[in-house]
């Protein structure tokens, strides 16, 4: 099964799938208010999967399932394409997963990615340096400091804009697959082996199973874990990320060509600064992380307007290079509250024929820059498992109830690695900000620890994951 899957990279496309809305207003679980009966389904009819959320992971998963002749409808609560945040980067490991899902996704990355450093001789390193220590009245505090370079491999650090990448991916999805303006309210059992989705606008949808890719504030996670469960919601990490874009000409004039055109991370006490180039090296993306002892209610928008003065105050005692980077920021910018799921991790990623993936399952802080990449691994895992389900139904006449076994296998296999990422992302922030009890302000120790953790992310055994998924799925079927 695994060999056959790895060989079938080239997708075969379906015509657009249209959902026929049902005039249902009562819950099917109420015996006095039954929905219309479900017509008999042929055993070899393609699976129908509903994906909630049309962000990066939802869109990539849709392409993967469509390539396996699985019918897909994606329900997105916004009315137009929208991806928040500025920069994102995919490692070679994530791009390998994309190629196994649909090779054209890798082309989407290439279309919008920005080379780190000289395009003719790319710099494939993540670079770390002390941004805090400096001498009084020093104009250049970098010339005498050690620069730590962590090799990511060929094209291992190419940044792009999230929205630009998602636009490229969406261009591959056939018309009619995505339904806009659909906010999910609940999911109900419907007929034999089917689920009914109810939306806030009164419309409904039907499917064999539901996969929630609806991000950090996931409604599907609430339905899987329970609305009163604290694990159903993300929690504030007491970190703020100030983000701004600087014209490259301005950045180069202030910082020099090498510094402006190459990614750098500046560590220091209780804060750190990252910058890398985007938009084909026409812009330098700056992210400044600071500690916030206050609270941030979940119902408050995670992005709020901010000013450069707020950031400048947090870095007033830092070295002149970091202060110059902060000074380059626009007067008005945005600050993002960093939430994750560390304190209350999801004990499972599935319940029956409902499953969660990506940030909906394991929202992490951005300090490893790997949340989206691990979400792409999820998309590959689900594509692989649901292809097995559909092939098994055709071959053995199994019912669609095997979907819950596939989702259970996904939860079992994917949970350990993805929850490790959530914890390690928090701990990486402590290393960058000199709060780790083992590393402190020792940049040598911090570099070695970040390298160890990064290699665990970058050098993941993808084929081994697929073998484990196949074994776990077959084990669940036998139970």
């Amino acid at each position: 099964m695994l060999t056959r899957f790895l060989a079938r990279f080239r997708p075969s496309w379906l015509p657009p799938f249209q959902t026929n809305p049902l005039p249902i207003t009562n819950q099917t679980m109420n015996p006095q208010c039954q929905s219309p009966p479900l017509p008999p389904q042929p055993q070899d009819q393609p699976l129908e999967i509903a994906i909630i959320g049309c962000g990066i992971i939802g869109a990539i998963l849709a392409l993967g399932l469509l390539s396996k002749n699985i019918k897909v409808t994606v329900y997105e609560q916004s009315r137009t394409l929208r991806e928040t945040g500025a920069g994102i980067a995919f490692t070679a490991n994530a791009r390998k997963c994309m190629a196994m899902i649909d090779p054209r996704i890798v082309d989407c990355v290439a279309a919008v990615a920005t080379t780190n450093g000289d395009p003719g001789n790319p710099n494939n390193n993540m670079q770390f340096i002390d941004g805090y220590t400096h001498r009084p009245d020093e104009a250049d505090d970098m010339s005498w400091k050690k620069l730590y370079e962590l090799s990511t491999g060929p094209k291992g650090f190419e940044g792009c804009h999230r929205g630009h990448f998602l636009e490229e991916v969406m261009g591959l999805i056939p018309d009619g697959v995505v339904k806009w303006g659909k906010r999910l309210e609940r999911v109900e059992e419907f007929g034999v082996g089917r689920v009914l989705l109810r939306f806030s606008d009164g419309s409904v949808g039907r499917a064999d199973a539901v996969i929630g890719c609806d991000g950090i504030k996931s409604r599907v996670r609430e339905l899987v874990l329970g609305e009163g469960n604290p694990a159903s919601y993300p929690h504030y990490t007491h970190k703020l990320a100030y983000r701004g874009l600087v014209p490259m000409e301005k950045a180069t004039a202030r910082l020099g060509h090498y510094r402006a055109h190459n990614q750098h991370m500046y560590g220091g006490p209780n804060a750190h600064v990252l910058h890398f180039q985007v938009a084909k090296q026409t812009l330098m993306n700056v992210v400044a992380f600071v500690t916030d002892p206050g609270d941030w209610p979940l119902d408050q928008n995670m992005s709020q307007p901010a000013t450069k003065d707020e950031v400048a105050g947090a870095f007033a005692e830092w070295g002149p290079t970091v202060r110059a980077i902060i000074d380059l920021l626009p007067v008005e910018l945005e600050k993002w509250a960093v939430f994750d799921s560390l304190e209350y991790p999801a004990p499972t990623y599935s319940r029956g024929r409902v499953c969660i993936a990506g940030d909906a399952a394991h929202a992490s802080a951005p300090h490893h820059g790997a949340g989206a990449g691990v979400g792409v691994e999820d998309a590959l895992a689900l594509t692989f498992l649901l292809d097995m389900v559909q092939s098994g139904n055709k071959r053995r006449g199994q019912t669609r109830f095997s979907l819950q076994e596939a989702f259970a296998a996904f939860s079992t296999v994917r949970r350990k690695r993805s929850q490790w990422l959530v914890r390690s992302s928090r701990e990486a922030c402590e290393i960058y900000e000199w709060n780790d009890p083992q590393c402190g302000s020792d940049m040598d120790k911090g570099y070695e620890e970040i390298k160890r953790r990064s290699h665990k992310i970058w050098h993941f055994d993808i084929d081994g994951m697929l073998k484990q998924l196949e074994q776990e799925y077959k084990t669940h079927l036998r139970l």
Side-chain angles (χ1 to χ4, degrees):
M1 176 66 209
L2 174 60
T3 303
R4 215 166 49 246
F5 176 83
L6 296 175
R8 296 206 310 262
F9 288 165
R10 187 61 57 188
S12 57
W13 291 102
L14 293 173
F17 171 57
Q18 302 291 337
T19 301
N20 297 318
L22 299 175
I24 299 174
T25 57
N26 296 302
Q27 293 189 29
T28 59
M29 300 305 289
N30 184 339
Q32 297 179 348
C33 302
Q34 295 293 329
S35 299
L38 181 69
Q41 301 289 324
Q43 286 288 345
D44 60 353
Q45 183 172 339
L47 290 173
E48 296 182 24
I49 302 298
I51 297 174
I52 308 301
C54 196
I56 288 174
I57 305 307
I60 288 177
L61 176 59
L63 287 176
L65 297 184
L66 287 168
S67 74
K68 303 305 173 190
N69 293 325
I70 295 172
K71 291 186 176 181
V72 177
T73 303
V74 182
Y75 297 96
E76 168 57 44
Q77 67 178 3
S78 67
R79 298 193 176 277
T80 57
L81 182 64
R82 182 179 62 188
E83 180 66 28
T84 58
I88 189 172
F90 295 105
T91 64
N93 182 77
R95 291 198 304 274
K96 180 181 177 181
C97 289
M98 291 174 182
M100 298 171 74
I101 295 169
D102 185 331
R104 299 174 304 167
I105 302 173
V106 181
D107 297 333
C108 293
V109 177
V112 297
T114 298
T115 303
N116 187 41
D118 180 6
N121 185 27
N123 179 354
N124 297 312
N125 294 313
M126 292 178 62
Q127 302 186 137
F128 311 91
I129 199 163
D130 176 355
Y132 179 78
T133 307
H134 62 284
R135 298 161 184 161
D137 302 320
E138 186 176 38
D140 179 11
D141 63 326
M142 294 289 114
S143 59
W144 54 272
K145 290 180 179 177
K146 183 177 180 179
L147 179 66
Y148 298 86
E149 295 183 322
L150 177 56
S151 176
T152 62
K155 296 185 177 181
F157 197 97
E158 288 189 324
C160 64
H161 191 284
R162 286 175 175 268
H164 298 165
F165 173 66
L166 182 57
E167 286 177 5
E168 294 288 330
V169 174
M170 290 297 296
L172 303 178
I173 297 179
D175 293 339
V177 169
V178 181
K179 309 295 181 184
W180 303 97
K182 298 296 181 182
R183 182 187 294 271
L184 182 68
E185 292 289 338
R186 60 185 184 273
V187 177
E188 303 165 9
E189 295 289 335
F190 178 53
V192 179
R194 299 277 278 174
V195 293
L196 186 76
L197 300 92
R198 296 188 183 275
F199 300 96
S200 59
D201 64 359
S203 64
V204 299
R206 293 178 295 181
D208 297 312
V210 179
I211 302 174
C213 298
D214 47 342
I216 193 167
K217 292 186 177 181
S218 170
R219 171 59 178 162
V220 183
R221 184 182 175 109
E222 293 178 39
L223 297 177
V224 169
L225 302 181
E227 293 179 329
N229 188 343
S232 295
Y233 311 97
H235 297 269
Y236 189 38
T237 68
H238 298 282
K239 292 290 178 182
L240 289 172
Y242 291 87
R243 302 186 182 193
L245 294 170
V246 180
M248 188 56 74
E249 296 86 352
K250 185 178 179 181
T252 302
R254 189 73 177 270
L255 303 174
H257 187 277
Y258 181 85
R259 189 163 302 280
H261 287 78
N262 286 268
Q263 177 271 348
H264 286 79
M265 174 84 77
Y266 305 86
N270 299 311
H272 67 284
V273 176
L274 167 70
H275 67 71
F276 57 92
Q277 60 288 345
V278 296
K280 303 300 181 182
Q281 296 200 355
T282 62
L283 296 170
M284 187 176 80
N285 183 45
V286 178
V287 188
F289 293 93
V290 302
T291 302
D292 174 25
D295 200 5
W296 195 289
L298 185 59
D299 58 0
Q300 180 176 314
N301 195 314
M302 291 182 179
S303 173
Q304 295 289 331
T307 66
K308 181 168 65 175
D309 288 343
E310 292 181 47
V311 197
F315 292 93
E317 302 300 321
W318 285 52
T321 300
V322 169
R323 296 201 306 270
I325 293 168
I326 299 303
D327 190 52
L328 285 169
L329 290 170
V331 174
E332 296 182 354
L333 58 154
E334 286 187 319
K335 60 182 176 183
W336 293 70
V338 179
F339 280 71
D340 69 11
S341 55
L342 178 64
E343 274 83 8
Y344 298 95
T348 180
Y349 292 168
S350 70
R351 180 181 177 186
R353 282 171 286 118
V354 181
C355 180
I356 50 177
D359 280 353
H362 43 79
S364 67
H367 307 299
H368 270 311
V374 171
V376 173
E377 294 173 12
D378 287 351
L380 174 62
L382 287 166
T383 298
F384 176 70
L385 284 166
L386 295 186
D387 184 44
M388 288 185 67
V389 170
Q390 178 152 276
S391 299
N393 284 344
K394 289 180 179 179
R395 187 168 58 251
R396 298 188 300 274
Q398 290 180 328
T399 70
R400 288 180 171 84
F401 284 105
S402 55
L403 282 163
Q404 65 187 28
E405 279 74 33
F407 286 164
F410 170 81
S411 180
T412 299
V413 173
R414 292 296 301 158
R415 189 176 178 279
K416 181 178 180 180
R417 172 170 168 81
S418 55
Q419 290 299 324
W420 172 85
L421 176 70
V422 176
R423 178 171 296 280
S424 188
S425 294
R426 279 269 204 115
E427 292 169 349
C429 182
E430 295 299 289
I431 295 170
Y432 296 142
E433 301 187 356
W434 298 359
N435 290 321
D436 180 79
Q438 302 301 320
C439 301
S441 61
D442 188 327
M443 294 286 288
D444 287 326
K445 290 182 178 179
Y447 167 77
E448 291 298 326
E449 186 60 22
I450 291 296
K451 180 170 69 172
R452 181 186 70 81
R453 294 166 184 264
S454 297
H455 284 179
K456 186 170 181 176
I457 296 169
W458 301 343
H459 305 311
F460 179 55
D461 182 2
I462 300 170
D463 294 346
M465 176 192 74
L466 298 179
K467 291 177 183 177
Q468 189 179 2
L469 287 165
E470 181 175 5
Q471 180 180 2
E472 193 69 30
Y473 173 60
K474 290 179 178 178
T475 299
H476 277 275
L477 284 178
R478 290 193 296 266
L479 293 179

